[in-house]
Structures are given as structure tokens and as C-alpha cells.
Amino acid sequence: MTAVPSEQVAEALHDVAARLGGFFALDTTPARRSPGRQLAHAGLAERARAVNDHYDTATEPRIGASIAHLGLAARLWSPVLACALVHGIVPTMSAVEWSGEGSALRLPGPEGRRAPELPALADAVYTEVDHMLERVESGLTTKVAPRLLAGNSASALVGSAAQLLRIRPDLRTEITFLTRELLEVGRLRGTGRITGPGLAFRRRSCCLFYRAPSGGKCGDCCLVGTRTR
């Protein structure tokens, strides 16, 4: 299996960021001042505290941990999905790091594998993204239910795929197929189900955003249609 040249991976990531924007952005430029911190070495706790401060949920810290985790999951799934489906390259995410004080990510010295050469694309994409999430979760000091975290990953996956589908409807078959396959891999299995052609999704857990004073229920929440206190 041939490795993709670093500059080609960087070009592919830059292209999806420029075309798709937002959570599809993954910076590949070297840090100008201090190097970033790898995801496995803290960082999520700081972002969780910032979320709790913003939504006034410090008395229930798992809310901030869950919402920060959901945002991180979207930041990981989006560029990998887009790069794999648009450019046929699966970026290697083991060196991904926080970029600055916000939630943006950087991938210095990007590497990748060619999607057509992989024996199972879904397994490769899952390994690069969800395994990184699990590494970060292992350091959480706030107790959050494992199935909630798995549901966050699934929700971020399908949300990223749905956004990609809206921008690239010509890739509907490929996007839908890969998303459905991913939902049957590892801990994503049983986290929810696709309910519509536009990749509408209903998860089987809740990210807890509804418990914030100014929060509400997300579109894919298992609590939609039910009353909550």
C-alpha cells in the first residue's frame, strides 16, 4: 500500500476546507509560536469548562464535557469524511493537535492512505477518527456515560455526512453508503438509525444540551417529542 505524499494530503485537506468551510477545516500549517498539544494530552477539559461557563452549567459539568466532546467529534469526522470521499485520501490522524485556545485542530506533517487501496474504507475511517476520540475520552475527569459519548460520535458523523451531501449531492450514493457502513462499526453500532434520504438521524442517547438553561433538543435527539424537566 503506497503512502500519499504529504503535500498531496495537505492540498486535499486545504481544498475541502476552502470548498466546505466550517468544521471541515483542518489546518496543516506548522505552528508559528508554540507547538500545539496532541488531543490525547488534555485540552478537552478546558473546552468543557468554557462551555459550562458559557451556558451557566457549572453545577452539572457533564453537560460541558458532552457538548465539547460533540464539537470535537464533528471537527474530526468532517475533514476525514470529505477528504476520503472527494479526494480518495484517508488522512492519518494520530498526530492531530489542538490549534490555539479554541476548538480548531491542526494536523502537522499530514500523511494519508489512498482509499481505493484500503481493504475496508469504513474500518480505516473509523480507526482514524473514533479511535482518536476514545483516546481523548480516556482522560476525562468528568463522568459521562460511555453510550452518550458513542452517540455523540455517531451524531457528529451523520451531521458531517449530511452537510457534505448538501454541498455535493453528486456523491449521494458514496456518502450514504459509507455513513451506513460506519454506523455498523465498533461502538457506533446501535447508537441510532438513519430515518430519511437526506441522512436524517435519530440517536438513542442525548448530548444533554437540553439541560442547559438556554438549551433545547437537537434535531436528532432521542427526546424529541417527549416532555423533559
Side-chain angles (χ1 to χ4, degrees):
M1 186 179 300
T2 57
V4 183
S6 180
E7 61 272 15
Q8 190 173 343
V9 181
E11 288 174 5
L13 288 168
H14 176 76
D15 179 69
V16 298
R19 292 173 182 268
L20 306 176
F23 284 104
F24 290 90
L26 182 59
D27 188 12
T28 59
T29 59
R32 294 182 179 180
R33 296 179 181 176
S34 59
R37 291 171 296 169
Q38 287 197 349
L39 296 188
H41 303 292
L44 186 61
E46 296 176 17
R47 285 146 183 84
R49 284 193 292 271
V51 171
N52 280 321
D53 290 343
H54 179 76
Y55 289 108
D56 193 23
T57 54
T59 57
E60 196 171 357
R62 65 188 182 125
I63 297 174
S66 174
I67 296 172
H69 174 270
L70 181 58
L72 172 61
R75 291 277 186 181
L76 289 169
W77 280 115
S78 297
V80 177
L81 276 177
C83 205
L85 290 168
V86 175
H87 289 282
I89 296 172
V90 178
T92 300
M93 300 293 282
S94 57
V96 70
E97 59 187 32
W98 300 107
S99 179
E101 298 301 319
S103 58
L105 302 178
R106 178 187 292 112
L107 185 62
E111 299 176 352
R113 295 172 289 169
R114 299 193 186 280
E117 297 180 5
L118 296 168
L121 179 58
D123 289 344
V125 171
Y126 177 86
T127 297
E128 298 300 341
V129 176
D130 204 73
H131 283 193
M132 285 302 301
L133 273 177
E134 289 188 289
R135 284 173 58 182
V136 177
E137 294 161 17
S138 67
L140 276 175
T141 56
T142 300
K143 186 175 181 181
V144 184
R147 291 307 289 169
L148 185 158
L149 296 174
N152 281 354
S153 182
S155 177
L157 158 65
V158 181
S160 299
Q163 178 65 9
L164 180 59
L165 176 59
R166 284 189 286 272
I167 299 171
R168 291 294 305 269
D170 56 305
L171 294 175
R172 174 177 296 275
T173 299
E174 294 87 346
I175 295 169
T176 303
F177 181 78
L178 179 57
T179 304
R180 289 184 179 277
E181 276 204 318
L182 281 164
L183 288 173
E184 294 298 325
V185 179
R187 65 171 179 166
L188 298 185
R189 186 179 296 111
T191 52
R193 61 188 178 88
I194 293 174
T195 60
L199 292 180
F201 184 64
R202 179 59 58 89
R203 58 184 287 181
R204 293 192 172 96
S205 61
C206 173
C207 73
L208 304 178
F209 182 57
Y210 82 95
R211 296 185 65 84
S214 59
K217 298 172 187 174
C218 305
D220 63 0
C221 184
C222 62
L223 299 177
V224 170
T226 65
R227 291 185 178 181
T228 55
R229 294 181 62 186

